[in-house]
Amino acid sequence: WIPEDNAAQRREEVPYVLWARDAARSGLTLTPGDTCDYDFIKRDILAFAKTHQVAKIATDPHNAHHLQQQLQAEGLNVLGFSQTFQSLNGPTKLMDTLIAQGRLRTSDNPILNSHASNCVVRTNSEGYIKIQKPSPMSPARVDGMVALSMALALASDADAGTKMPDPEIIVL
């Protein structure tokens, strides 16, 4: 979701307006106004949850705490997912393994492709890794890849003794 009023002139210099025109492929939705419209996002998530079997939703608690509470009040299992090395280490390593084994398949999504091309993997002093943008001040976005890491964390968190169907992960 990107605010419609500033989609054409964002710092990232990527074609959000073009991507929004091909929403079926990109998944991008323009929200009314010039700021992030969380009510609009909530409406979309609730509509999606009515037609799909949603087990868990991961959110970055930084700016989505209120949305997280609202979705939980609607009966969805929403978990805040810290963006620390410790939280993202396991899913980042899992993603790396799945990619190396050719087991991670994504659609040809222009936003995810753009975000993947912006990623760097950082390692902290304890050897934990996570995906980040090239520098803290960079306008480059990596949110789609971080969201994929969070989704992999939730999908791989099943009990080892429970037979689970192959997960279908959809990043909104």
Side-chain angles (χ1 to χ4, degrees):
W1 294 273
I2 297 286
E4 184 174 28
D5 289 355
N6 64 21
Q9 56 268 20
R10 293 177 63 95
R11 277 183 46 207
E12 301 95 281
E13 297 182 15
V14 294
Y16 288 118
V17 174
L18 179 66
W19 289 343
R21 286 187 197 130
D22 191 8
R25 182 169 165 241
S26 71
L28 181 65
T29 300
L30 298 178
T31 63
D34 64 354
T35 61
C36 193
D37 186 336
Y38 286 100
D39 289 333
F40 194 96
I41 295 168
K42 180 179 98 175
R43 185 202 69 200
D44 283 358
I45 292 171
L46 292 174
F48 182 87
K50 284 183 180 179
T51 59
H52 295 79
Q53 191 173 11
V54 176
K56 299 176 191 173
I57 299 172
T59 62
D60 177 351
H62 176 67
N63 280 327
H65 185 71
H66 186 64
L67 177 62
Q68 180 178 338
Q69 289 177 324
Q70 290 177 329
L71 293 172
Q72 287 171 332
E74 294 284 345
L76 295 173
N77 186 9
V78 184
L79 307 167
F81 199 100
S82 173
Q83 303 299 296
T84 64
F85 277 98
Q86 200 166 25
S87 297
L88 289 167
N89 179 62
T92 304
K93 288 182 177 179
L94 175 59
M95 184 187 312
D96 184 53
T97 299
L98 293 172
I99 291 168
Q101 295 173 345
R103 295 176 49 211
L104 182 64
R105 293 181 305 274
T106 62
S107 62
D108 187 24
N109 182 292
I111 298 171
L112 190 60
N113 293 343
S114 173
H115 290 192
S117 72
N118 294 331
C119 286
V120 295
V121 175
R122 299 273 190 237
T123 305
N124 72 1
S125 62
E126 290 143 2
Y128 291 140
I129 65 171
K130 73 175 186 171
I131 293 170
Q132 290 184 315
K133 56 186 181 175
S135 71
M137 299 307 292
S138 171
R141 306 301 297 192
V142 298
D143 305 81
M145 293 300 290
V146 173
L148 180 55
S149 292
M150 292 166 37
L152 285 170
L154 295 186
S156 65
D157 193 30
D159 285 339
T162 305
K163 176 64 178 138
M164 296 282 292
D166 287 339
E168 180 178 339
I169 299 171
I170 299 174
V171 177
L172 297 176

